[in-house]
Every structure is written in C-alpha cells, then in structure tokens.
C-alpha cells in the first residue's frame, strides 16, 4: 500500500504542464512575431524585452527613411567633373547609404579602377584612384587647414540640417556635399508611444550634433547625441547600463554592430546591413517602426502567458496531491487531470496567435501598406 501511494505521489507530482508551460508559449509567441514581420532570436530575448526602460536609436535608416538625396554640392578644383568622377568611383566600392546617394547624384559616365579601399567606421572611406588618394567622409576626415570660404561652406551645410560629406583629393578639400533624408512617417507616433509607456528615448548618431538637433527638434525624445563614432555609441549604452537602465538599441548600419551587441536587446531593421542583422537579437523584417509597439506588446503577453501556464501547472499538482491525501483522487483520475492541465496550457498558449484589439488597427495598416507595395511591384 505504501509503495502504491509513493508511486502515485511520484506520478501526480511530475507536472507535465509545468515542463511545457514556457516552451509552448515561446513557440507560439515567436510564431506570431514572425507572422507580423518580427523575428525574435529565442524566448530569452522576449523575457529581456519586458524589462527594457530605455530605447536608443540610430538616426539614418532607422528613424529616417534612408532615401537620401544630395541637396547641395560645392567644388574647389580645376575640373569639377573629374572630382565627381573620382568621388563616384570610391563610393561605388562602398555600401554606405550616403555613398549610394552620392553615386546616384553624380551619375558617373566612367569608373576608374579603385584600389586600397580603407573604411574607417564613423569617419569615412579612403582609396587610391587614378594615382590620387581620395578620402570621403565627415568633417573628422579632414587633415589639412581650410580656407575661410571652405569653412563657411561647411558651416552652411551643417546649419541647414543636412548631413555633411566632404571629399579630399591628395589631402586637399575638393568638394562639400549636403545630403538630406526624410523621417519615417511612423517615427513621431512610435516615439510618443514609447514615452507614454514610460520608456526613455535617445538618439545616437554619427551626424553632427547640429544636424541631429535640427532633424529631431520636434520629436518626443529624451536625449539626442550627435558626432558619435561606433565606440562612442557603445560607451553611451554602457553608461546607461551602469545606471541600472535596461537598454534596447535600434539600428541598421555596419557602424551599429557594436552597439547592437552591447545593448541588452539589439533590434535591426530588415533593410539594414548584414552585420547589423547578424548581431541583433530582433529583426524587423518590414523595417517599420510601428512593429516596435507590436514587439513590446508581444513580449508582455508572452511573459503573462508563461506565468498563467505556471499557475495552471502548479495549481493542478497542488490540487491533485491534496485530493490524494484526503482520498478523493487516485492514480487513474490524477493522470486524467494531468492530461487535461497539459491541454489547458497548450490552449492558453495558443491565445498568443490572436492579435489584441488594440493592435488590430496597427497591423491592418501595415498589411495594407504591404499589399500596396506588392501591387505596385506587379
């Protein structure tokens, strides 16, 4: 009799529902995310998401559309066309959004051979073209003194709120370009939503502070930081973490890789560079910032769902053991209730497949936009 009782207690005390409670919620939740253009690399990431209180953003290609155009161009050379040809040749060897915009603007007729390409993150690119050393980058790439006219031209670009790109040939400033980008249409609303939910919003950008402040002036942001190298972004994230903040970083470029790795949760835009996508914990395949709202809501629902499953599992075991001790439950009925609890846990997890009412309008807009793009493609 004692052996039978011991075996019954052992069987009823092994909570199958408890074992699958978290995994089944994670599987269903990750599937829901993938369906809505959010790839989450593991259930542990969802757990971290629910703890995030600070969201830091890259600017170009993240808060902005990444559809960059050249607004101004000024040259200091005997042959402007030759300078444009050299600049375009170097930028064709890179994948940076600003470089691609310059190539589209310059429309080179010929492409000289480019060798010894050296990319310095957060500064620019240098290469050998037609027996010349050509450097293209931000103001930090300049190594020689400038004339008054050149200094004025650079300051005018910065004051206008455009991104500054300078080109030097054999060390001498040859061209100054001002490039503009447009904010994503969903940027203001998403930033406002994040702040309304108690999250600190910060911009970390490689553009100058003046450019960042000009473009971000009317947005609900806690802080804006410009003129940052990739290592500076990492330093900013570490500083926030040292103060106890749980940081999410959202970026898309090759310069964002270290920051994505340092953040508690790294989020990459699907249109970004491969290195950013590989490093990130979450990928927004549709590159829509509105998906951040879906992501945070999903993380909270997954966390709540797991807790509910644990209550079901532990509660079932407690009730069965109590029933066994007072003689209301035997092994057969106990096993039946165990199986029922497992089905309840699975059914509860499957509720994550359904879009909450507060997000239905958001996902409908997203799906409609995707359908429009598909129709245009046809």
């Amino acid at each position: 009799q004692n052996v039978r009782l011991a075996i019954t207690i052992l069987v009823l005390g092994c909570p199958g529902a408890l074992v699958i409670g978290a995994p089944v919620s994670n599987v269903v939740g990750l599937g829901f995310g993938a369906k809505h253009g959010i790839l989450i690399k593991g259930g542990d990431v969802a757990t971290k998401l629910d703890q995030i209180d600070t969201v830091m953003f890259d600017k170009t290609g993240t808060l902005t559309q990444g559809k960059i155009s050249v607004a101004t161009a000024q040259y200091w050379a005997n042959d402007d066309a030759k300078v444009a040809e050299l600049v375009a040749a170097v930028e064709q060897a890179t994948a940076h959004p600003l470089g691609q915009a310059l190539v589209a603007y310059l429309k080179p007729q010929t492409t000289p051979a480019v060798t010894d390409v050296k990319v310095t993150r957060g500064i620019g690119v240098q290469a050998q073209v037609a027996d010349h050393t050509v450097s293209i980058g931000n103001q930090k790439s300049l190594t020689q003194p400038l004339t008054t006219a050149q200094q004025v031209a650079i300051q005018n670009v910065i004051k206008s709120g455009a991104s500054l790109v300078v080109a030097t040939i054999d060390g001498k400033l040859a061209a100054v370009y001002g490039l503009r980008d447009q904010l994503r249409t969903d940027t203001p609303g998403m930033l406002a939503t994040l702040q309304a939910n108690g999250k600190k919003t910060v911009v970390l950008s490689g553009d100058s502070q003046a450019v960042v402040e000009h473009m971000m002036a009317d947005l609900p942001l806690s802080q804006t930081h410009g003129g940052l190298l990739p290592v500076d972004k990492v330093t900013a994230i570490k500083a926030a973490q040292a103060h106890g903040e749980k940081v999410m970083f959202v970026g898309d470029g090759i310069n964002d890789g270290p920051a994505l790795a340092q953040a508690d949760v790294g989020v990459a835009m699907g249109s970004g560079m491969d290195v950013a996508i590989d490093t990130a914990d979450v990928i927004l395949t549709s590159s829509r910032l509105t998906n951040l709202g879906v992501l945070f809501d999903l993380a909270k629902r997954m966390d709540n769902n797991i807790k509910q499953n644990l209550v079901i599992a532990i509660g079932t075991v407690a009730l069965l053991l109590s029933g066994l001790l007072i003689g209301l439950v035997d092994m057969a009925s106990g096993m039946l209730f165990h199986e029922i609890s497992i089905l309840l846990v699975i059914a509860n997890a499957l509720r994550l497949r359904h879009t909450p009412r507060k997000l239905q309008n958001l996902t409908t807009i997203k799906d409609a936009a995707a359908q429009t793009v598909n129709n245009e493609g046809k």
Side-chain angles (χ1 to χ4, degrees):
Q1 183 69 24
N2 290 336
V3 172
R4 181 181 179 84
L5 178 61
I7 293 175
T8 303
I9 292 175
L10 182 62
V11 171
L12 299 187
C14 294
L18 182 62
V19 174
I20 70 168
V24 71
S25 295
N26 285 332
V27 169
V28 177
L30 298 184
F32 176 90
K35 179 182 177 182
H36 291 83
I38 304 169
L39 300 183
I40 305 173
K41 299 180 181 179
D44 59 323
V45 176
T47 302
K48 293 178 183 178
L49 280 166
D50 203 37
Q51 303 170 359
I52 296 297
D53 52 23
T54 300
V55 184
M56 297 185 174
F57 296 89
D58 172 49
K59 181 178 71 68
T60 303
T62 302
L63 295 179
T64 66
Q65 297 177 13
K67 297 178 180 179
I68 304 168
S69 60
V70 177
T72 61
Q74 192 167 350
Y75 295 91
W76 285 272
N78 295 327
D79 188 346
D80 294 354
K82 182 65 175 179
V83 172
E85 181 181 275
L86 296 177
V87 169
V90 174
E91 291 294 12
Q92 282 181 325
T94 72
H96 196 282
L98 296 181
Q100 294 173 349
L102 278 174
V103 172
Y105 170 77
L106 297 172
K107 299 177 181 177
Q109 300 300 314
T110 60
T111 305
V114 178
T115 60
D116 297 331
V117 179
K118 298 177 182 177
V119 176
T120 304
R121 291 185 178 183
I123 295 180
V125 59
Q126 178 178 296
Q128 295 296 127
V129 189
D131 297 325
H132 294 287
T133 299
V134 181
S135 296
I136 307 169
N138 56 30
Q139 200 168 356
K140 295 176 183 177
S141 66
L142 297 173
T143 58
Q144 294 190 13
L146 304 178
T147 66
T148 301
Q150 291 171 339
Q151 292 176 0
V152 170
I154 288 175
Q155 290 304 313
N156 286 340
V157 171
I158 294 174
K159 290 178 182 178
S160 72
S163 296
L164 173 70
V165 175
V166 296
T168 64
I169 298 178
D170 299 324
K172 296 181 180 180
L173 181 63
V176 172
Y177 300 98
L179 291 85
R180 292 190 180 278
D181 198 356
Q182 299 295 322
L183 285 175
R184 293 180 183 271
T185 55
D186 51 359
T187 293
M190 181 45 56
L191 291 175
T193 299
L194 290 174
Q195 286 205 340
N197 290 330
K199 301 191 188 300
K200 181 179 176 182
T201 54
V202 181
V203 171
L204 305 177
S205 175
D207 271 332
S208 69
Q209 184 67 26
V211 171
V212 176
E213 290 180 352
H214 185 277
M215 179 165 277
M216 305 285 120
D218 298 325
L219 297 179
L221 290 164
S222 306
Q223 298 174 13
T224 57
H225 301 281
L228 302 182
L229 297 174
V231 67
D232 297 326
K233 294 183 180 181
V234 172
T235 300
I237 293 173
K238 286 182 177 179
Q241 291 171 329
H243 285 88
E245 298 176 27
K246 298 297 182 181
V247 180
M248 169 190 284
F249 182 80
V250 187
D252 76 319
I254 189 171
N255 292 335
D256 296 327
L260 288 167
Q262 177 60 41
D264 295 285
V265 175
V267 179
M269 309 299 279
S271 58
M273 303 290 290
D274 288 344
V275 65
I277 292 174
D278 291 342
T279 306
D281 302 300
V282 180
I283 303 167
L284 305 182
T285 58
S286 61
S287 296
R288 292 179 60 86
L289 282 179
T290 47
N291 273 351
L292 281 179
V294 179
L295 175 62
F296 278 114
D297 180 81
L298 175 60
K300 183 176 289 295
R301 290 196 297 128
M302 287 175 66
D303 184 62
N304 290 338
N305 195 268
I306 290 173
K307 291 176 180 177
Q308 292 164 4
N309 284 347
L310 294 180
V311 169
I312 292 173
I314 295 174
T316 299
V317 172
L319 289 174
L320 289 178
L321 292 179
S322 298
L324 177 64
L325 293 176
I326 62 177
L328 296 178
V329 176
D330 58 17
M331 183 179 292
S333 59
M335 289 299 298
L336 175 62
F337 281 110
H338 253 311
E339 298 307 314
I340 292 175
S341 71
I342 291 175
L343 293 176
L344 285 176
V345 164
I346 294 174
N348 185 54
L350 290 175
R351 294 191 304 117
L352 290 171
R353 295 184 306 167
H354 304 294
T355 304
R357 183 172 299 177
K358 63 181 178 180
L359 293 179
Q360 284 179 354
N361 185 52
L362 181 65
T363 53
T364 299
I365 293 173
K366 175 173 69 68
D367 293 340
Q371 184 62 43
T372 300
V373 172
N374 291 336
N375 291 338
E376 290 176 352
K378 295 176 182 178

